[in-house]
Amino acid sequence: MAETKRCIQCGAVLPEDAAFCPHCTATQVARQVQAVPQRRSWRKMALLGVGALAALTVGGWALWGQEKPAAQETVLPTVTAANAYDRQCQIYYEGADGALYWVFAAFSPAGSDGENCPNGYRSQLIAAGEESWGPLTLYAYDAVTGKNAREAFAPLVEDWQVTASAQEGDACRIVMEDADYSAGGAMYAREHIATSLCGRNEITWTLHMRNGDTVTLTQVEEYGERPAVDYRWENEDMTTPTALQALLDRAAEETEPEDVVTVYLPAATYDQPLHVRRDMNLIGDDTVIAGGLVVEPLAYGDDKEVCVNVRDVTFAGDGGVGLQVMGPTWVRGCRFTGWDVAAQALDGGWICSQENTYDSNGVALELDSGSAMLCGSNMNNSRFLWNGVAIRVKRLPVEWMTLDLYDCSFYGNTVDLDDPQGLVVRR
């Protein structure tokens, strides 16, 4: 029997080709320790390219009148990444300050054990008509000590840019405002937006150094369209909690992992607990959930975003937990009222709250997740009214994460924000 692949950080079971862990976000590319040679008394500006597209152009310098014996030249370590993509997204560079740097690009702001690793390729399936947002990040480490060296490397850079060019399909859009992933160790970062029409894109990082050098690193992304499977109340029996649960279970069994599953709910009240066991969209139409909804741990793929989307549903309870998630969940346009805990994220889960109303609950939103495939750290345009506690933050999935409460309003709550651990929350 083949050995089961597990996350190198949290131990979760992963697909064999997984490049990152969807539970704790750790990249599965182990950092490669390179043997760095002892420095010689004579120094030379030197650079070793790591691929045809990761290159250095050196302009206009020389040590005139000085012969440079080959035996005294600094020999840089060789990158031994297993594939060409990871070789092209990283480079060793000896700066004008004499320090040896390891510079690399990634798609994730954090790797295993809080470290970061090069990542030159990713693929993703996106539903037609939808957008996918994600970070592009660049790091600089001291190649000798292995410590983050962005503070030392950044002054050597005159300016920088990151661009996307389409090799097939449309080009991804890069958001030009700086994205703040400094808490995750990134030196530079941008958000970028893709659709299923983007096909194959090449991401190019260009650093113009103050000494005249140009450092170029590349990454590749491939996108495709996720097939869609719809279940509509006009065609399916969703009249009772039992009937709806049977449909949800059937949808999980008869669809393929890459399918976009959407369930269009009727104007009905469900007074028994419901369970969702795969990623899907639940779209309400005067739909009331009175018995609670549980999002079970989800099965992840390496080339798609996996989450449950709940939209336009009223969660009206009489105590208990309204929405409990152990998988990433987007909630939009919903109302929560009458619950002991209206919405709760546990390990493996996360709640992204957008344009929701939480009123008259014991705790409106409780975040107690130490591991999750993040689907965003922003809580946008939500209202918290007359709750005992509006937001209780017990744990966040990663230590460097910042919880942003954008355009949220608070009124009549006994406590607006309960943050006993002093985690990073911005309002």
Side-chain angles (χ1 to χ4, degrees):
M1 179 180 296
E3 184 177 352
T4 300
K5 179 173 181 176
R6 293 183 178 273
C7 174
I8 61 177
Q9 176 170 317
C10 72
V13 177
L14 302 177
E16 282 301 317
D17 58 351
F20 69 94
C21 176
H23 301 279
C24 67
T25 76
T27 180
Q28 300 305 297
V29 181
R31 297 188 68 179
Q32 298 173 355
V33 179
Q34 307 290 346
V36 179
Q38 184 177 0
R39 299 299 184 89
R40 306 288 185 178
S41 59
W42 177 87
R43 289 191 178 279
K44 168 191 172 185
M45 176 67 68
L47 183 80
L48 180 63
V50 297
L53 296 177
L56 171 68
T57 303
V58 180
W61 67 270
L63 297 177
W64 299 106
Q66 180 177 356
E67 185 177 354
K68 300 182 284 295
Q72 293 183 342
E73 293 182 1
T74 299
V75 179
L76 299 184
T78 300
V79 174
T80 57
N83 62 74
Y85 296 117
D86 285 347
R87 289 193 294 272
Q88 293 166 1
C89 74
Q90 57 182 309
I91 202 166
Y92 285 95
Y93 176 77
E94 188 168 5
D97 59 356
L100 183 61
Y101 295 98
W102 180 32
V103 184
F104 60 87
F107 297 107
S108 173
S112 62
D113 300 322
E115 296 178 342
N116 296 281
C117 300
N119 192 345
Y121 176 84
R122 70 184 293 267
S123 62
Q124 182 180 348
L125 297 176
I126 306 173
E130 294 188 0
E131 293 182 339
S132 174
W133 287 61
L136 301 170
T137 50
L138 190 92
Y139 301 86
Y141 277 74
D142 187 302
V144 178
T145 67
K147 302 295 184 181
N148 192 298
R150 64 185 179 191
E151 299 297 333
F153 188 82
L156 307 179
V157 181
E158 180 71 30
D159 60 67
W160 65 278
Q161 64 179 348
V162 57
T163 59
S165 59
Q167 297 176 319
E168 298 175 10
D170 298 340
C172 300
R173 288 185 290 132
I174 295 180
V175 181
M176 296 313 297
E177 293 83 0
D178 287 342
D180 186 6
Y181 287 98
S182 58
M187 180 171 64
Y188 303 128
R190 289 277 193 266
E191 296 281 358
H192 73 309
I193 307 169
T195 71
S196 60
L197 301 178
C198 287
R200 182 183 176 93
N201 269 238
E202 184 174 274
I203 308 298
T204 303
W205 292 85
T206 305
L207 308 182
H208 299 286
M209 310 302 291
R210 294 185 183 277
N211 64 2
D213 294 346
T214 300
V215 176
T216 303
L217 304 175
T218 64
Q219 301 167 281
V220 172
E221 292 185 297
E222 291 186 312
Y223 297 95
E225 181 177 326
R226 294 182 63 186
V229 179
D230 294 345
Y231 298 88
R232 298 181 178 273
W233 62 266
E234 297 94 335
N235 305 320
E236 304 283 351
D237 183 9
M238 307 183 198
T239 54
T240 67
T242 300
L244 177 57
Q245 186 62 65
L247 174 66
L248 296 176
D249 292 342
R250 177 161 60 89
E253 294 172 359
E254 69 184 14
T255 56
E256 299 297 328
E258 65 270 17
D259 291 340
V260 180
V261 176
T262 302
V263 178
Y264 293 91
L265 301 169
T269 297
Y270 300 102
D271 57 3
Q272 297 296 320
L274 298 168
H275 293 257
V276 174
R277 297 184 172 91
R278 71 149 290 163
D279 58 302
M280 65 173 60
N281 305 314
L282 297 176
I283 311 299
D285 182 6
D286 291 327
T287 305
V288 177
I289 292 180
L293 175 67
V294 177
V295 175
E296 303 285 358
L298 303 179
Y300 296 94
D302 196 39
D303 60 352
K304 67 171 184 174
E305 290 184 344
V306 175
C307 66
V308 170
N309 292 284
V310 183
R311 297 183 182 179
D312 303 326
V313 172
T314 296
F315 289 78
D318 185 17
V321 179
L323 174 65
Q324 185 179 80
V325 308
M326 290 164 281
T329 305
W330 284 85
V331 185
R332 184 170 184 174
C334 295
R335 181 191 176 199
F336 295 82
T337 185
W339 302 95
D340 292 333
V341 179
Q344 180 186 57
L346 301 178
D347 275 347
W350 187 249
I351 295 174
C352 292
S353 178
Q354 294 186 335
E355 302 173 8
N356 301 304
T357 297
Y358 303 83
D359 67 273
S360 306
N361 302 285
V363 177
L365 180 61
E366 182 173 273
L367 303 174
D368 188 11
S369 178
S371 62
M373 174 60 177
L374 299 183
C375 52
S377 61
N378 301 337
M379 305 292 175
N380 300 337
N381 300 295
S382 292
R383 300 190 302 164
F384 298 85
L385 311 173
W386 306 296
N387 301 284
V389 176
I391 300 178
R392 175 174 289 160
V393 185
K394 289 186 175 181
R395 292 181 296 161
L396 297 179
V398 287
E399 293 182 357
W400 51 263
M401 180 178 174
T402 298
L403 181 66
D404 291 307
L405 306 177
Y406 289 143
D407 298 323
C408 291
S409 58
F410 299 82
Y411 181 80
N413 306 293
T414 303
V415 177
D416 287 344
L417 178 62
D418 180 16
D419 182 15
Q421 302 299 321
L423 301 171
V424 182
V425 179
R426 292 191 297 216
R427 294 176 59 182

